[in-house]
Each structure stands twice: as structure tokens, then as C-alpha cells.
Amino acid sequence: MKRNYSAFAEDIPPYSGPKAAREMHADVKQLSAIPGHIYTRPELQILPGQRRFSKMPWLVPMLELLPPTSIGHLKEWGLSTIFVLAKNYNKLVYVWESVTGMVELWHPQTNSFIFPEFEATILLEELEIMLGLPRYQRDEESTISYTVEQINSWSILAYITTKKNDLYSMTSGMHVHLLPIAQWITSQCKRKTMNYTAIAKAAAICICGVILFPESDGAISFGNLSIIDSISEGMKIGKDVLGFLYAGLTSTALGGPFYGSIVPLKLWMGMHIQFRAVENPSTKCKTILNHPLAYVGGRLHMSTQAWCKTAQVKGIQAWCQYLRNLTVADFDMRP
């Protein structure tokens, strides 16, 4: 069926040449012209929503009880890096001043950071490499389509447990609470049941909820629950994770709470802005020990033989000044 574009074609302005296009793009890049953007709020000291990324005392003890078979399922589903990051989650230290400085440069329309000399964004390929997620192949989107049934979040949880009291404790409104799920996993592991697949599915909900889809204090939405559950069916979730991160950045840039995943953002910042590998074996960087990059393997693995380019940048004002003067040469990727 052919589409008729005449109904709205008249609303599209004619192309006026490269000069006009450059001028229009320059106007779009003006962050100060976006209503409510935190770029215009220099008095901001605390990023809205940052307190929800606190330590979770239940996470590591639960993961340490997982049976090897359940851990094997998580690895099969492509969650090895997520599992390692979750096991070390309470060790991670976030420099929230740097995150605030980055959010001030986020453009909600272009989904990119606007630096003085260039624009940059978090790419899907980068996200998949950083988090070790199953990767989309080139042109795969045009050759593969998925047919899915209507999502039933209760059936996802019912695969874990059919006890009504457990199910009701795990949910409230449109959210799923991670702590009751972790408590169920702990109970199953201590009783040494052989329900390995259900334990792995429940553990996937917990670790992905903490690392990839943190939306509110210790809870995730029903929509993200279905995305996490699809991992065990062989689905790729990189685009969902990236979209969730973009949405969180946009929310914060416009004055709302930051609910996106802080871990992928800090990995990207560490890779491009904060750290650089060095050849001198005597150089040891202690800062990286509490950074997510310390727990990522493969091509992005970075030992303490590194140099922290931002070690002297302290406080919100210093970070904003540093990022607003960042050059292309300093924005590099040297894992």
C-alpha cells in the first residue's frame, strides 16, 4: 500500500542549502534555549534522584549463594559482565559532580552531549561491548522480526513461585520489588532445591534491575521485567538498555529525577574522558579500583596501570568547567 504524504508535505519547509542547515543546527544546539534545562541552573548542587543509587546489602550475599548451574545459565544468556558488576556493586564509587556536569550537556532532542567543539553520544555498539551483552549484527534488524505474545508480567513471576504471598510481596502497583525476589533466591539456595533455571531467571531480574534498569528504590517496572525475562529466550536487549539510559538522561536534563543506569554511563565516561592506559609499569592508578571499568573484561579491561586524566577535577563547578572546555583530542578511547 502506498502512503500519501501530501497531507503533511506542505508543512515541511523546503531545503535552503548547507549554510541555512548549519545555522538551523547551531540554533538547535543551544542548550540554554531549552525550557527547564538544568544547563540554566548553576545553583544545582545535588542531581535529582542520585540518592536512590545507594548500596544494597542484600545483593552480594544472595549472589554468593547461587549454584554453579544457575550461574552457568546467566553466562549462557550473555550476562557474565552484568553478574561481575553486580557482585562488585557495593564497591563502586560514583563522582556525582561529574555526572551532573555531563547531564548539563545532554540535548534531549538530539540524544547527544553538546561539547564546544563536537557532539558525542553513547552508541549501541559501545554499550554492548561495555556490558558484554549479545550484539546486534549489521543489517540484522532488516532480516529478523519477532512475534511475541501479549506480555503477562504475572506469568513471568509465576515461573519463579506460585505462592500468592510471595507474588504479592514482590509487586506493588506497576513495579516489581527486587528484595523479595532476592529473599526467595536465598531461601531456594539454602534449601538446596534443584530449581536452577527459576533461580537463574530470578537472579537475572535482580542483577539487571540493579545494573541496567534502576528506576526507583530497589524496584523495576513491569515493562522492564518483560525485557529482562526475554534474555533467557535469546532476545537481544542492547537497544532497550540504551533507550532507557537516554530517557533517564533526558529526564534529568529537564529537571526530573535520574532513573537511568549509572553504571553504563560511568563506563562510557571512564573510557572516553577519565582514564587512559599507559605503558609505564610503575604507574598505578588507585582511582580505577572503585570504578566500573575495573570489573569489565575483554577489550575494555583496564588494570591499575592507567592514568586518571581528571584526578585534579574536584567539585561541580570544576567538572562543569572541565567538560565545557573538553577538546576532541581529550575525548579519546584507549582501553
Side-chain angles (χ1 to χ4, degrees), residues 22 33 159 181 245 267 282 313 331:
R22 286 193 296 270
Y159 187 89
I181 297 178
L245 177 56
L267 284 170
S282 63
V313 183
F331 183 84

Side-chain angles (χ1 to χ4, degrees), residues 17 33 49 52 98 106 147 184 197 209 285 287 311 335:
R52 69 183 54 178
S98 66
W106 179 256
T147 302
W184 178 87
T197 303
C285 179
T287 307

Side-chain angles (χ1 to χ4, degrees), residues 41 109 116 149 155 169 225 255 257 270 279 290 309 317 320 327:
R41 296 172 57 189
Q109 291 176 295
E149 298 178 357
S155 66
S169 68
L225 172 68
E279 297 180 359
N290 298 318
K309 299 182 291 183
Q317 298 301 324
C320 292
T327 63

Side-chain angles (χ1 to χ4, degrees), residues 16-58:
S16 303
K19 181 179 179 181
R22 286 193 296 270
E23 292 175 350
M24 183 177 296
H25 181 65
D27 292 337
V28 170
K29 288 170 57 178
Q30 295 297 322
L31 296 173
S32 57
I34 301 175
H37 200 287
I38 65 171
Y39 185 88
T40 60
R41 296 172 57 189
E43 77 284 355
L44 187 66
Q45 296 295 319
I46 299 178
L47 198 65
Q50 74 177 55
R51 289 192 176 94
R52 69 183 54 178
F53 296 92
S54 56
K55 308 301 181 185
M56 298 188 178
W58 53 265

Side-chain angles (χ1 to χ4, degrees), residues 65-200:
L65 291 175
L66 291 181
T69 304
S70 297
I71 296 176
H73 286 316
L74 294 175
K75 292 180 179 179
E76 291 172 8
W77 301 336
L79 297 177
S80 296
T81 300
I82 306 300
F83 178 75
V84 174
L85 287 168
K87 284 197 71 173
N88 294 279
Y89 182 79
N90 292 336
K91 298 178 184 178
L92 303 181
V93 176
Y94 306 122
V95 181
W96 283 103
E97 292 85 356
S98 66
V99 178
T100 303
M102 288 297 297
V103 173
E104 286 189 2
L105 301 178
W106 179 256
H107 199 299
Q109 291 176 295
T110 62
N111 285 334
S112 61
F113 297 102
I114 309 297
F115 296 98
E117 296 183 2
F118 63 100
E119 293 181 55
T121 194
I122 305 166
L123 302 177
L124 175 62
E125 294 82 359
E126 290 180 306
L127 187 85
E128 291 170 335
I129 292 173
M130 290 187 299
L131 298 174
L133 296 174
R135 301 177 63 184
Y136 288 91
Q137 301 300 319
R138 187 178 296 274
D139 298 327
E140 183 180 19
E141 297 88 345
S142 61
T143 58
I144 296 179
S145 62
Y146 297 122
T147 302
V148 297
E149 298 178 357
Q150 185 175 2
I151 297 172
N152 186 339
S153 300
W154 286 103
S155 66
I156 296 174
L157 295 175
Y159 187 89
I160 300 173
T161 178
T162 56
K163 295 181 178 180
K164 288 186 177 181
N165 289 338
D166 289 343
L167 290 172
Y168 284 122
S169 68
M170 293 176 182
T171 60
S172 64
M174 295 302 293
H175 287 82
V176 178
H177 298 284
L178 301 181
L179 177 56
I181 297 178
Q183 291 172 336
W184 178 87
I185 295 173
T186 301
S187 173
Q188 293 286 304
C189 294
K190 288 184 176 180
R191 288 162 49 200
K192 296 184 178 180
T193 64
M194 300 180 66
N195 200 5
Y196 299 130
T197 303
I199 292 174

